[in-house]
Amino acid sequence: MADLFDLTGKIALVTGATGGLGAALVDALSQAGAHVVISDLDPERCASAAEALRQRGGSATALAADMALADSRAALVTALDRAGLRPDVLVCNAGLQGPAGPIAAVTDAEVDAVFEVNLRAAMDLTARLIPTMAERGGGSVVLMASIAGLRGNKAIGLYGLSKAALAQLARNLAVEWGPSNVRVNAVAPGLIHTPFAETLMENAAFMERRLGLTPLRRVGEPDEIAGVVVMLASRAGGFITGQTLVVDGGTTLSDGSL
C-alpha cells in the first residue's frame, strides 16, 4: 500500500512554501520521497526551510519568487531549468486574502492584487510547467482553493471569487491536459490551524458558531491538508482529475441544525 503514495524520484515545486500550511506540504511531500523545491517571498526563509528539511534527511532546493510579479514567476521557471529541476508535481499554495468587507467596497487595485497572486500566478506557472510535464509522460498539479470559493461569504468575498476561479482552472486544465496524463485538481480547506487563521481563531464568538456548524467539532491541522495533497500527487490519486476536494471537517455539509 505504501508504494501508492511513494514520490521517490519526483520533483515537487511548492509556492507559498514557508508558511504554516506550506511548511506542512513541504514536509509531507519530502517524507513521501520527493525532492522539494521550496519557493516563497523571502530568500532567507526559503534557504532556512530547505536546510532544515535536509537536516531531517530530505532533499530540497530553495528558489525564492514573488507570485505577485510576472517577471519573478518567469525567473523562477528559468532558475528551475538552469538547475535541471523539472517538476513532476506543482502545488500552487501561495495566496493573498485581501480586504474584508463587501465586494462593492473593494478597489481595482485590491482586485488586481488578489487575483494576481491567487489566480494569475497559478495560470502562469501551469502554462509554463505543464507542457514539460506532458513531454515527460505526465504529472500532477494541485491548486489550493478554499471553501470560501464554494459558498457565499460576506466577509472575504473577493478572496472567495479568486478561489472559485482556481477550482474552475483545475477543471479546465484537467480537460485540456488529461490526454497527456497530466492531472489537475484543487483542494478546498476549511478552517485550518495556521497563522493565516489566527485572527479568526482568537474570536471566541466566531469559533463557537463555526465549530457548532462543523460535524467534527474542531479546526483542521495543516498535515491533514498535506496528506490529501500527497495523495493527489502520487499514484494513489492516479484516477482523480478536475476535482475540488473539500477538506473542512464537514462544515459545508451543515444545515445549521447541528
Side-chain angles (χ1 to χ4, degrees):
M1 178 64 71
D3 66 330
L4 282 173
F5 299 89
D6 185 19
L7 294 173
T8 300
K10 303 296 185 181
I11 296 171
L13 168 61
V14 181
T15 67
T18 65
L21 181 55
L25 294 170
V26 164
D27 192 57
L29 289 162
S30 175
Q31 288 187 44
H35 176 92
V36 184
V37 180
I38 296 173
S39 186
D40 214 319
L41 279 169
D42 188 330
E44 291 186 3
R45 290 187 65 182
C46 289
S48 176
E51 178 58 27
L53 194 62
R54 287 191 289 267
Q55 290 181 0
R56 296 195 299 272
S59 177
T61 299
L63 289 177
D66 186 349
M67 291 298 107
L69 301 175
D71 287 348
S72 187
R73 299 190 300 258
L76 171 61
V77 175
T78 298
L80 286 167
D81 189 57
R82 286 176 177 169
L85 296 169
R86 294 172 176 80
D88 306 285
V89 177
L90 168 62
V91 183
C92 292
N93 177 61
L96 179 65
Q97 178 179 297
I103 291 175
V106 302
T107 66
D108 288 346
E110 289 168 336
V111 172
D112 290 344
V114 169
F115 271 78
E116 189 69 30
V117 174
N118 294 0
L119 180 62
R120 286 291 298 275
M123 292 176 64
D124 194 1
L125 288 182
T126 52
R128 294 175 182 275
L129 295 176
I130 286 181
T132 63
M133 291 181 182
E135 288 172 4
R136 297 193 310 278
S140 176
V141 176
V142 181
L143 309 177
M144 200 57 61
S146 169
I147 63 170
L150 301 176
R151 60 183 187 175
N153 193 313
K154 67 181 180 181
I156 49 173
L158 179 59
Y159 176 79
L161 282 172
S162 69
K163 293 299 185 174
L166 270 184
Q168 183 61 36
L169 178 62
R171 289 186 284 268
N172 289 347
L173 293 177
V175 172
E176 290 180 21
W177 290 100
S180 297
N181 196 35
V182 177
R183 297 179 294 106
V184 186
N185 292 285
V187 174
L191 186 61
I192 306 299
H193 195 177
T194 65
F196 187 79
E198 279 182 357
T199 301
L200 290 175
M201 294 177 65
E202 291 170 356
N203 185 326
F206 168 83
M207 290 302 295
E208 182 178 4
R209 291 194 305 272
R210 182 58 171 266
L211 297 184
L213 293 171
T214 302
L216 290 185
R217 294 295 194 272
R218 66 176 177 86
V219 174
E221 296 298 328
D223 61 357
E224 293 173 314
I225 304 301
V228 173
V229 171
V230 169
M231 182 271 291
L232 290 172
S234 65
R235 195 162 64 86
F239 203 50
I240 303 173
T241 196
Q243 302 304 305
T244 299
L245 275 66
V246 178
V247 189
D248 70 345
T251 301
T252 52
L253 299 176
S254 173
D255 65 358
S257 63
L258 291 173

